[in-house]
Amino acid sequence: MYAARDRYMAEAVARLVDDAPEARVMVWAHNGHIAKGTYGDQVPALGGRLRERYGNAYYALALLFGKGSFLARRGNDLQRPPARHRIGTGLRSLEARLTHAVPGDYYADLRAAGSPADAAPWLHAPHAQRSFGANVQRFLYRLNTAPLVPAEDYDGIAFVARSTCSHLLPPAED
């Protein structure tokens, strides 16, 4: 399922870019999808496919946050409205480590010369990131993680200490 979904997402992005090569395209997806490599079973991620096709023109920016809330649908029921999900800082994730390392919001460009990736060996070591999704049990969010090596999987990290829940837009009128 992941292989097909990420392949189709990469093909959709490629159509946008190839139809207008001068355009800049931003893809907002879960960090697992935008990573430059593969999923746990060596399934090529959307970002891995885009990196292969566009090289360094593809910039994988991980968006991590400490605690807060977000909206997400439950399961595959598209008729139900998204539900609000609250999460804490977690215990064994990279987000928990970042929460305690530097207070507040920040961005780190891991490609830049003299970046943290050059000076911080932990960015080249295996970690776990929280893994949210429609099929993750609501009470298990803090326990559900996915593997990552920050400097290998992403070109940059944006960290938001406290996220705020988005709001649904009103229905469009015809």
Side-chain angles (χ1 to χ4, degrees), residues 3-173:
R5 181 169 48 185
D6 280 50
R7 183 179 73 242
Y8 289 127
M9 288 190 295
E11 289 172 3
V13 171
R15 280 193 305 275
L16 289 171
V17 173
D18 294 347
D19 287 350
E22 71 286 349
R24 300 184 89 181
V25 176
M26 180 176 171
V27 177
W28 189 299
H30 183 277
N31 290 335
H33 294 295
I34 65 163
K36 299 182 293 186
T38 61
Y39 285 108
D41 294 331
Q42 301 307 308
V43 173
L46 159 70
R49 293 175 181 278
L50 295 176
R51 176 55 63 99
E52 183 178 304
R53 184 175 182 127
Y54 300 108
N56 280 340
Y58 176 71
Y59 188 92
L61 177 64
L63 175 59
L64 304 173
F65 61 95
K67 63 182 177 180
S69 60
F70 62 95
L71 282 181
R73 294 199 187 279
R74 304 287 310 148
N76 295 321
D77 184 357
L78 298 178
Q79 301 305 314
R80 284 185 9 195
R84 180 179 179 155
H85 302 277
R86 290 183 179 88
I87 58 162
T89 56
L91 303 172
R92 45 188 195 122
S93 66
L94 179 61
E95 293 89 344
R97 183 176 183 162
L98 295 174
T99 295
H100 300 294
V102 179
D105 304 337
Y106 52 90
Y107 163 72
D109 182 356
L110 302 179
R111 278 193 194 175
S115 76
D118 295 337
W122 68 268
L123 287 168
H124 299 277
H127 295 277
Q129 65 184 328
R130 291 184 300 205
S131 181
F132 305 118
N135 295 318
V136 176
Q137 293 288 329
R138 156 181 210 171
F139 298 106
L140 299 178
Y141 277 141
R142 78 178 67 210
L143 304 175
N144 204 39
T145 61
L148 84 148
V149 177
E152 292 177 15
D153 291 332
Y154 305 111
D155 298 308
I157 296 174
F159 181 77
V160 177
R162 183 176 189 84
S163 71
T164 55
C165 199
S166 56
H167 301 279
L168 291 176
L169 295 172
E173 295 181 20

